[in-house]
Structures are given as structure tokens and as C-alpha cells.
């Protein structure tokens, strides 16, 4: 018999969607951070030589994410890539996160005073030693708040993957709303789940920043 009230099965369905949201965020930020660190270092150390890279990343920052999902999903079918919708979502979100993470890393590296770098080189450190032991630790602390905000933004942007057939938190909520016709109740619960996930991420980030300050 079809029930028109919210049940424990519905809540479990939403939690499964929330887990998909978390998994998408983790994988896309892993890809985005890896690509952002590489591209950010290149943009900070070789600004003129990497202008073409900057233009490409600007495209991914400028084009709405929904359009990127639709275009890449269509391109996958045209090229014949045997990728799941989840993989497509991770790749698109990962490239999108890379485009923004690049600027976060670049700003962090450029925030390190040139006098500090000159002092490290005068002490006999090589270019790579200076980058590894001096620049990156200082740049990481500067860039971390921006990276944390990017993570929270990507987590919310995962709601767009419903357009390529993935059932994440918002899609699962809409499915339940269609059945029980209680949008206010269901969407409030979904909003609370999003809030809880964001709160956990923000708290973990704050604890990490406090540890850095205590170690200074």
C-alpha cells in the first residue's frame, strides 16, 4: 500500500543520497586539490609561460557547472567512453575544483614574502628545498581557508549531478516529495543534513587551524 507520510525508509533513502553527496565531494576535491596544487605552483612561478593554462581554467570557472555536466556527459557518449555517471560527475567536479583551487594555491604562494625566499636561498637552500620547506608550509596556511570554502561550495554544487541521473541528497529528497507531497518538511530535513555535513567540515578545518597556531 502506498503511504503518503514520511517513513524511516524515506529517511534512510535520504541518508544514502547524503552519502553519495559526501563521496562525490571527497573524490572531486581530491582530484581538484591535486590538480590545483600543480597548476597553482605553475601559475605562481611561471606566470607568463602558463597563460594558455590560465585561459583554459578561466573557461571552467566561467561556464556554469550544469552546462559542463551536460556537455561532458554528451561528449562521453559521442567518444564512446564507458564511464559511469558517478565517474563523469567526479571528473567534471574535479576539473571545476581544479580551476578554483589553482587560484587559491597561487594566491597562497604569492603571499609568501620575497624577502623570506631570498633569506632561505642565502642560507644555502636550493630552489626546490625553498619551495618544499619554506614556501609550501607558509602558503598552505594562507590558502587553507579558501580551500575549505571551496570544499563547502563543491559539496553544495553536487546537487547538480541529478541532471545526469545520479541520486544524491537533493534528488532523493525530490523523489520523496513527489510521493508524499510534503516539500517543506522534506526539504527542511535535506537542508539540515547539508548543514550538518558543512558543520562537520568547518569544525574539522577550524581544529586544524588551531593546531597550526599552537605549533607556531
Amino acid at each position: 500500500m502506498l503511504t503518503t507520510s514520511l517513513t524511516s525508509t524515506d529517511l534512510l533513502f535520504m541518508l544514502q543520497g547524503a552519502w553519495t553527496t559526501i563521496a562525490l565531494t571527497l573524490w572531486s576535491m581530491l582530484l581538484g586539490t591535486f590538480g590545483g596544487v600543480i597548476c597553482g605552483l605553475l601559475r605562481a612561478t611561471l606566470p607568463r609561460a602558463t597563460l594558455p593554462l590560465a585561459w583554459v581554467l578561466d573557461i571552467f570557472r566561467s561556464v556554469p557547472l550544469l552546462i559542463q555536466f551536460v556537455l561532458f556527459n554528451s561528449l562521453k557518449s559521442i567518444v564512446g567512453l564507458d564511464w559511469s555517471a558517478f565517474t563523469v560527475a567526479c571528473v567534471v567536479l574535479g576539473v571545476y575544483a581544479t580551476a578554483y583551487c589553482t587560484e587559491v594555491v597561487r594566491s597562497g604562494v604569492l603571499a609568501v614574502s620575497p624577502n623570506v625566499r631570498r633569506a632561505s636561498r642565502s642560507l644555502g637552500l636550493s630552489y626546490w628545498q625553498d619551495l618544499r620547506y619554506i614556501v609550501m608550509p607558509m602558503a598552505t596556511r594562507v590558502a587553507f581557508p579558501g580551500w575549505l570554502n571551496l570544499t563547502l561550495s563543491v559539496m553544495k554544487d553536487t546537487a547538480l549531478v541529478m541532471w545526469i541521473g545520479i541520486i544524491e541528497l537533493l534528488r532523493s529528497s525530490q523523489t520523496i516529495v513527489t510521493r508524499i507531497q510534503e516539500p517543506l518538511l522534506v526539504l527542511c530535513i535535506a537542508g539540515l543534513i547539508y548543514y550538518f555535513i558543512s558543520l562537520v567540515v568547518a569544525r574539522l578545518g577550524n581544529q586544524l587551524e588551531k593546531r597550526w597556531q599552537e605549533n607556531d
Side-chain angles (χ1 to χ4, degrees):
M1 181 177 178
L2 184 63
T3 178
T4 57
S5 60
L6 190 68
T7 65
S8 59
T9 302
D10 294 328
L11 293 176
L12 181 59
F13 185 53
M14 292 179 67
L15 290 177
Q16 290 173 343
W19 174 248
T20 301
T21 294
I22 294 172
L24 284 168
T25 304
L26 289 174
W27 280 109
S28 58
M29 284 308 300
L30 181 63
L31 294 172
T33 302
F34 180 75
V37 169
I38 295 176
C39 296
L41 286 174
L42 290 174
R43 290 289 298 128
T45 56
L46 301 170
R48 293 185 179 179
T50 56
L51 275 178
L53 175 62
W55 295 334
V56 171
L57 294 176
D58 279 341
I59 294 175
F60 289 101
R61 282 195 297 270
S62 303
V63 176
L65 189 54
L66 177 57
I67 296 177
Q68 296 183 42
F69 277 125
V70 175
L71 290 179
F72 193 88
N73 197 48
S74 300
L75 180 63
K76 178 205 72 170
S77 302
I78 295 173
V79 175
L81 292 176
D82 187 20
W83 287 6
S84 65
F86 185 87
T87 302
V88 171
C90 288
V91 170
V92 174
L93 283 169
V95 174
Y96 180 77
T98 296
Y100 281 95
C101 191
T102 295
E103 292 304 308
V104 172
V105 173
R106 186 179 74 90
S107 62
V109 172
L110 294 179
V112 180
S113 172
N115 292 331
V116 174
R117 303 201 65 177
R118 283 193 288 266
S120 66
R121 298 300 294 274
S122 67
L123 293 175
L125 295 180
S126 66
Y127 174 82
W128 293 109
Q129 287 175 328
D130 167 54
L131 192 64
R132 178 180 177 183
Y133 297 111
I134 305 298
V135 175
M136 288 307 295
M138 297 179 68
T140 299
R141 298 190 183 194
V142 173
F144 182 74
W147 179 88
L148 189 62
N149 287 332
L150 176 61
T151 301
L152 295 175
S153 177
V154 169
M155 189 264 298
K156 290 179 287 187
D157 288 336
T158 58
L160 296 174
V161 302
M162 73 170 74
W163 292 96
I164 58 175
I166 297 178
I167 301 177
E168 39 64 66
L169 178 55
L170 185 58
R171 179 66 179 272
S172 62
S173 302
Q174 290 180 332
T175 301
I176 296 171
V177 167
T178 301
R179 182 176 60 81
I180 69 174
Q181 296 298 311
E182 291 286 351
L184 185 60
L185 172 62
V186 176
L187 293 180
C188 280
I189 294 174
L192 287 174
I193 295 174
Y194 275 117
Y195 173 75
F196 178 76
I197 297 172
S198 300
L199 183 64
V200 171
V201 173
R203 288 290 177 86
L204 290 175
N206 290 334
Q207 289 180 3
L208 183 57
E209 285 188 292
K210 287 181 180 178
R211 288 186 179 181
W212 281 340
Q213 293 175 359
E214 292 172 355
N215 292 331
D216 286 342

